[in-house]
Amino acid sequence: MPIVVTGATGQLGRLTVEALLQRGIPAADIIATGRDTTRIKDLADRGITVRRADFADTDGLAEAFAGADRLLLISASVPVGERVANHRRVIDAAVVAGVSLVAYTSTTHADTATTVIGATHRETEEYLRDRGTPSVLLRNGWYLENYTSQLPQILRNGAVVGAAGDGRISAASRADYAEAAAVVLSAEGHAGAVYELGGDESFTLAELAAAISAATGEQIAYTDLPVTDFAQVLATAGLPAELAEVLADADRGMNRGEMHTDSGNLHHLIGRPPMTLTEALTAALHH
Ligand SMILES: NC(=O)c1ccc[n+]([C@@H]2O[C@H](COP(=O)([O-])OP(=O)(O)OC[C@H]3O[C@@H](n4cnc5c(N)ncnc54)[C@H](OP(=O)(O)O)[C@@H]3O)[C@@H](O)[C@H]2O)c1
């Protein structure tokens, strides 16, 4: 049952490959793909098939997916405007390859989300449905790492800055989302499922600031900004303009509850409580 993982050169994809191996899938049954395959040479050394797959290259995708039985489509990154077309090419190539299951990493409440990111996921989900290929939707919530990776900056500024108001966020670690992906790719009975994935405990950004205060002994506040001001802050901090807009818009969605889920789906799929915010902060601070 060869399983293709797209985005294996990235963080979630690599973790999914590791989780598949952990679950006993033989290296010979895993095809790891990405654009910059030099980043996964070590996986080839471990017996995994490594192939180049660029979502913009239809012919290359057909070659990359040849012989595959199941496929994980990890959503592409920027530019956001090219995302849906990229995803459609991947889905088309998966159909041509005759895969029996496509798992897609979507976002929480993609069917109703009002964000720019949400719209790209909704269109991809609709295309998957229209193509009629058996699929499973992994509606991943926000990554805990989106916050833990900002710890140095947060501690320097003495503040978490955002535009999410008191919206609750059900974040989880990339590793836990990867494990859930490995479960649906390697077990039976998930075709047609829609999983809303996130941590068991949600938090607001004020609660994030309080958790960082508790973990570090520093006084960290939450500063809530209007969405346009937050985008400006992100751009001034050096983010490309498009990414700054998209991230500020994601906070707007958080304020509306679009990143919150109490489904328990992640816990259920991985068979244990997902990593909590406090655990993630502790791990990041002692790294
Ligand atoms: N839930 C969240 O909080 C959150 C946050 C950020 C992003 N995301 C989404 O989740 C995805 C995975 O997260 P991550 O942390 O693993 O991101 P990442 O480390 O940036 O990895 C992204 C992967 O997607 C591949 N990719 C991007 N565009 C591609 C294209 N046009 N053709 C082929 N491959 C392409 C990259 O391949 P190469 O490096 O080889 O080009 C890379 O392997 C992201 O791409 C984004 O859509 C979610």
Side-chain angles (χ1 to χ4, degrees), residues 56-223:
D57 170 16
T58 301
D59 293 340
L61 290 174
E63 286 170 33
F65 300 167
D69 178 40
R70 294 177 173 199
L71 179 135
L72 175 65
L73 167 52
I74 290 185
S75 58
S77 29
V78 286
V80 173
E82 290 173 22
R83 249 183 162 187
V84 178
N86 277 330
H87 294 168
R88 286 181 176 186
R89 278 187 284 270
V90 173
I91 293 163
D92 288 343
V95 170
V96 170
V99 305
S100 68
L101 185 76
V102 174
Y104 172 61
T105 61
S106 184
T107 191
T108 40
H109 310 295
D111 48 344
T112 54
T114 62
T115 55
V116 172
I117 294 177
T120 67
H121 288 298
R122 179 162 54 253
E123 284 182 52
T124 303
E125 288 190 359
E126 285 169 357
Y127 192 69
L128 257 177
R129 202 169 45 240
D130 291 349
R131 289 300 321 244
T133 189
S135 62
V136 50
L137 302 179
L138 298 163
R139 289 184 173 165
N140 289 350
W142 220 227
Y143 298 146
L144 284 169
E145 290 88 344
N146 295 346
Y147 299 116
T148 54
S149 65
Q150 287 175 34
L151 273 172
Q153 197 184 329
I154 291 169
L155 292 173
R156 223 173 20 248
N157 297 340
V160 170
V161 181
D166 55 8
R168 301 201 74 77
I169 302 156
S170 306
S173 69
R174 278 193 187 87
D176 286 343
Y177 292 123
E179 198 171 323
V183 168
V184 304
L185 288 166
S186 58
E188 297 304 319
H190 296 286
V194 180
Y195 295 119
E196 297 283 352
L197 301 174
D200 285 348
E201 298 166 11
S202 61
F203 54 86
T204 64
L205 291 186
E207 289 168 359
L208 169 68
I212 297 171
S213 301
T216 61
E218 305 283 331
Q219 206 47 46
I220 307 296
Y222 173 51
T223 307

Side-chain angles (χ1 to χ4, degrees), residues 7 9-12 35-36 39 55 75-76 83 141 143 146 174:
T9 51
Q11 300 163 89
L12 183 67
R35 286 176 296 190
D36 181 7
R39 288 159 67 187
F55 295 172
S75 58
R83 249 183 162 187
Y143 298 146
N146 295 346
R174 278 193 187 87

